Amino acid sequence: MTKELKLDPRTKLIIVLCFSTLGVGTNQILVLFFISVLALIVAKLFKVDLKRSLGKIKSLLKVLILIALVQSIFSPGQPLISVGNFNLLTIKGLEKGLQFILRMFIVIVSVTIMGTSTYREIIQGLVQWKLPYDIAFMVALGIRFLPMIREEIQDSLTAIQLRGIDIKNIPLKERINIYSYLFTPILVETLIKAERLAAAIEMRGFRAYDSRTSYLQLKLKSIDYLIIFLSLGLIILIFIKIYT
Amino acid sequence: MVCIELRQVTFQYERGKRIFENISIKIEKDETTALLGPNGSGKTTLGKLMVGVLRPSKGQVYIFNKDSSKMAISEIGSKIGYLFQNPEKQFFTNSVYEELSFVLRTKKYHEDYIKEKVDKILNTFQLQGLERQAPFLLSQGEKKRLALAAILINKPDYLILDEPTLGLDGRRKEILLDTLSKLKKQGIGMTIISHDDNFVKAIGDRLIGLSRGEIVYDQRT
Ligand SMILES: Nc1ncnc2c1ncn2[C@@H]1O[C@H](COP(=O)(O)OP(=O)(O)OP(=O)(O)O)[C@@H](O)[C@H]1O
Ligand SMILES: [Mg+2]
C-alpha cells in the first residue's frame, strides 16, 4: 500500500461520524476496542502521522489518563485490589476507565482523519451538502483556530515562567492560581485575533452576495459511495447487534 | 564577564527555513550590546535563543556559564529580564497594579513592601493614575513601559529588550534612555534589539549587525 487513498471530504466526514457515534453510543468494551482498531486501520490507510498528532497533544493525554484513573479508583463494585476496608480498584471501575480511554482514542483518531483534508475542501463539502456558506465557514474557522490557541497557550506559559515563576515546583493550590492567570492573555489574544479576522473578511466583502461560485467542485466517486455504504451498513449492524 | 554565550548554534523553526547556521557569540555583562538588522534578519529569534524561549537545533547556549538546556525557564527568567517585541504576550492580569505585583505576591512578600515597590516603579515609568486600568487597553507606548516595569520589579541581573522604543514618543524615549542609563550604572547589563539607530548609538557600547541570520559586523564604539 504505497498509494495514498484519496477520498471526498464528505466521505471522511461520514466515516468519522460513524466512528464517533459508535464510540459514544456503546458501553461494551469489546465493541469499543473493535472500533478503535478499525479507526486505526482507516487512519493508516489515509497515511495519518499518528505519532506526530499524539505528540502534539501530550499534555491533554496526561489529563485524560488522570481522569481515567480517578474514574476507575472511585467506582463501587466488586473489588479487584483493596487496602483494608477500602476498595482501591473494582472491576466496574477498571471497565469505566478503559471505556473512557477507548472513547477518547476513537475521537482523537477521528479528528486526525478529518485533518487529512484541507479546510477549504471541508467547507466545500459542507456547502455542497446545502449547509449555508456562513455556517460552513464558521466550522472551518473553528478548526483553523485550534492550533493557534495551542500556540498562544505555549507562549503564555513561557512568558509567565520568564517572570521567574517556577510552575513545576510550586504547591498545587498556587499552581491552579497561576494557571488562572494564563486565561487572561490566551482569551484576550484569541479575541483580538478573531476581531482582526472579522474586520479583514468584512473588508473583502464577505457575504456581499447571497450565492457564491466556487472553482473547487467536489464529486463523489464510486469508491466514495462504496465506503459510505459500508460505513452506514456497519453502524446499523452494530447497533442492531447491541440492542437486540 | 561573559553572561550569555552561543556556541555553534544552528536553529530552524518547526515549520520554516533555517535561520542560523553555526553561529557563535559571547555577550559581555558589563557593556550594552545592540543587535541591529533589517526586518526578518533574525534579531527576535536570536534574542529568544539567548533567553531559552527557543532551543537550538544544534549547539549550546550558556547563561552565566551554565548550559541553558539544563535550566528551567523560571531560573533563567529570574536572572534575565526579557521584553517581548509584542508586550501583550506578557500581560496576565486585569489591572496595571496587579500586573506589577502578582509575581511579588506569589513570592510571599509583605503587602506594604509590595505597595512601596509598585508605587516607585509606577513613578519611574510614569504610569501613575493608571493603576486600575486594564493592561490590554493601554496605548502601545504605555504597554511597552508597563512590560518593562513588570520585568524590572523582579530585579534581574541582565536585560534583553526586543524593540523597547517601538511606539514611544520622543519625550518617552529620552526618559527610557535615562532609566536604562541609570540601570547600567547600577551594574545591570543589557542587550537591546532595535531599529532605532539614534537610540542605540546613544546607549550601545557594542553594535552587532545581523543580516539573513549572519553577523555582518561586530564593533565597539
Ligand atoms: N514562529 C515562526 N515559525 C517560522 N518562521 C518564523 C517564526 N518566527 C519567525 N520566523 C521567520 O524567521 C525569520 C527571522 O524572524 P525574526 O522575527 O527573528 O526577525 P527580526 O529580525 O526580529 O525582524 P523584525 O525587525 O521584523 O522584528 C523571518 O524570516 C521569519 O519569517
Ligand atoms: Mg523582531
Side-chain angles (χ1 to χ4, degrees):
Chain A
M1 266 180 290
T2 44
K3 211 171 140 260
E4 189 186 334
L5 195 55
K6 266 226 167 307
L7 287 184
D8 193 285
R10 285 169 291 177
T11 313
K12 290 184 196 168
L13 212 58
I14 289 181
I15 299 177
V16 165
L17 278 178
C18 284
F19 281 158
S20 21
T21 321
L22 279 173
V24 176
T26 177
N27 277 332
Q28 294 180 21
I29 297 227
L30 219 60
V31 179
L32 284 174
F33 187 72
F34 172 68
I35 301 162
S36 310
V37 173
L38 208 63
L40 257 183
I41 294 173
V42 172
K44 267 271 161 314
L45 281 179
F46 287 128
K47 296 248 148 38
V48 172
D49 191 353
L50 259 183
K51 225 186 224 159
R52 196 164 151 241
S53 332
L54 289 182
K56 272 187 183 170
I57 51 167
K58 237 195 247 147
S59 39
L60 181 67
L61 286 180
K62 276 185 212 150
V63 175
L64 290 181
I65 290 172
L66 197 76
I67 294 177
L69 278 179
V70 171
Q71 268 199 343
S72 48
I73 286 176
F74 295 114
S75 294
Q78 202 183 349
L80 216 59
I81 307 170
S82 50
V83 182
N85 268 341
F86 182 70
N87 295 343
L88 199 57
L89 192 66
T90 61
I91 293 180
K92 190 135 179 251
L94 192 68
E95 245 171 42
K96 256 194 191 165
L98 260 178
Q99 271 170 17
F100 179 75
I101 292 270
L102 285 173
R103 260 190 204 139
M104 283 301 144
F105 184 75
I106 293 169
V107 171
I108 290 169
V109 173
S110 303
V111 172
T112 53
I113 291 176
M114 246 10 259
T116 53
S117 288
T118 66
Y119 88 109
R120 181 67 193 84
E121 284 168 348
I122 297 174
I123 297 191
Q124 190 60 27
L126 293 174
V127 167
Q128 285 185 287
W129 262 347
K130 300 280 180 285
L131 197 72
Y133 186 82
D134 303 14
I135 294 177
F137 187 75
M138 274 198 282
V139 171
L141 264 188
I143 298 172
R144 279 249 296 183
F145 254 81
L146 283 180
M148 240 158 73
I149 293 176
R150 199 180 70 97
E151 265 165 42
E152 280 316 325
I153 294 175
Q154 198 57 51
D155 282 358
S156 297
L157 254 175
T158 315
I160 206 163
Q161 282 171 284
L162 267 181
R163 288 275 194 101
I165 295 178
D166 190 359
I167 283 200
K168 292 194 182 101
N169 288 323
I170 51 177
L172 189 66
K173 205 178 131 235
E174 272 176 55
R175 201 181 315 174
I176 291 168
N177 214 347
I178 299 289
Y179 276 117
S180 72
Y181 280 126
L182 293 178
F183 278 114
T184 315
I186 292 164
L187 212 67
V188 170
E189 283 279 307
T190 314
L191 282 179
I192 289 174
K193 273 186 183 154
E195 206 169 86
R196 277 193 205 131
L197 186 75
I201 56 182
E202 201 83 3
M203 294 285 288
R204 295 198 197 167
F206 188 70
R207 291 193 65 188
Y209 302 101
D210 278 340
S211 72
R212 299 170 58 99
T213 345
S214 129
Y215 174 72
L216 177 72
Q217 284 296 326
L218 300 169
K219 255 187 84 120
L220 290 169
K221 288 182 285 236
S222 39
I223 176 102
D224 288 305
Y225 283 113
L226 180 71
I227 290 179
I228 292 176
F229 180 75
L230 278 179
S231 322
L232 291 178
L234 185 78
I235 187 174
I236 291 168
L237 240 150
I238 292 184
F239 269 115
I240 289 174
K241 193 114 182 78
I242 293 172
Y243 290 113
T244 51
Chain B
M1 186 173 94
V2 178
C3 104
I4 299 175
E5 183 183 357
L6 273 72
R7 273 189 215 161
Q8 296 179 325
V9 166
T10 298
F11 180 78
Q12 178 167 16
Y13 278 106
E14 202 179 312
R15 283 157 302 187
K17 52 183 196 296
R18 183 159 288 191
I19 314 286
F20 295 112
E21 181 106 49
N22 254 332
I23 192 171
S24 299
I25 312 179
K26 277 184 191 171
I27 306 282
E28 298 282 338
K29 179 167 185 296
D30 306 318
E31 59 185 5
T32 302
T33 307
L35 275 178
L36 298 148
N39 286 138
S41 55
K43 304 183 297 295
T44 298
T45 310
L46 188 63
K48 288 185 176 170
L49 279 167
M50 280 163 63
V51 78
V53 172
L54 295 172
R55 304 275 186 199
S57 327
K58 249 193 252 157
Q60 294 91 33
V61 177
Y62 287 84
I63 293 172
F64 291 113
N65 292 321
K66 220 173 145 184
D67 188 346
S68 74
S69 65
K70 297 196 174 71
M71 294 165 85
I73 296 179
S74 56
E75 191 188 346
I76 301 175
S78 50
K79 293 192 169 98
I80 298 179
Y82 184 82
L83 178 73
F84 280 81
Q85 184 165 3
N86 175 6
E88 271 159 23
K89 288 232 182 287
Q90 52 199 120
F91 294 149
F92 298 96
T93 63
N94 297 321
S95 79
V96 169
Y97 188 87
E98 271 284 306
E99 194 59 45
L100 292 170
S101 58
F102 86 95
V103 176
L104 294 178
R105 208 163 288 132
T106 60
K107 291 187 177 156
K108 305 266 192 299
Y109 283 105
H110 198 270
E111 204 59 39
D112 294 340
Y113 172 82
I114 295 177
K115 173 132 185 32
E116 192 193 312
K117 293 276 279 185
V118 171
D119 282 343
K120 199 172 150 219
I121 205 113
L122 282 170
N123 232 322
T124 317
F125 285 91
Q126 298 193 308
L127 292 163
Q128 316 98 304
L130 292 170
E131 292 95 329
R132 311 227 157 277
Q133 175 85 287
F136 294 95
L137 300 179
L138 296 173
S139 79
Q140 190 67 29
E142 287 164 345
K143 279 181 188 164
K144 275 273 165 185
R145 281 184 277 146
L146 173 61
L148 198 53
I151 290 167
L152 286 174
I153 209 163
N154 284 335
K155 293 212 171 296
D157 300 324
Y158 194 82
L159 294 172
I160 297 175
L161 311 175
D162 198 346
E163 307 277 5
T165 59
L166 202 72
L168 296 193
D169 60 36
R171 179 89 193 91
R172 294 311 189 314
K173 264 188 217 172
E174 277 173 35
I175 295 172
L176 179 68
L177 196 61
D178 206 47
T179 315
L180 294 183
S181 308
K182 271 185 202 145
L183 289 172
K184 200 172 155 184
K185 282 203 193 91
Q186 289 167 27
I188 299 177
M190 57 193 89
T191 291
I192 296 175
I193 298 171
S194 183
H195 287 123
D196 196 331
D197 279 353
N198 290 330
F199 186 81
V200 161
K201 283 195 183 113
I203 194 167
D205 304 313
R206 177 187 181 190
L207 308 180
I208 297 177
L210 278 182
S211 175
R212 296 188 192 177
E214 280 179 30
I215 297 175
V216 283
Y217 59 84
D218 183 350
Q219 66 205 30
R220 292 196 161 77
T221 51

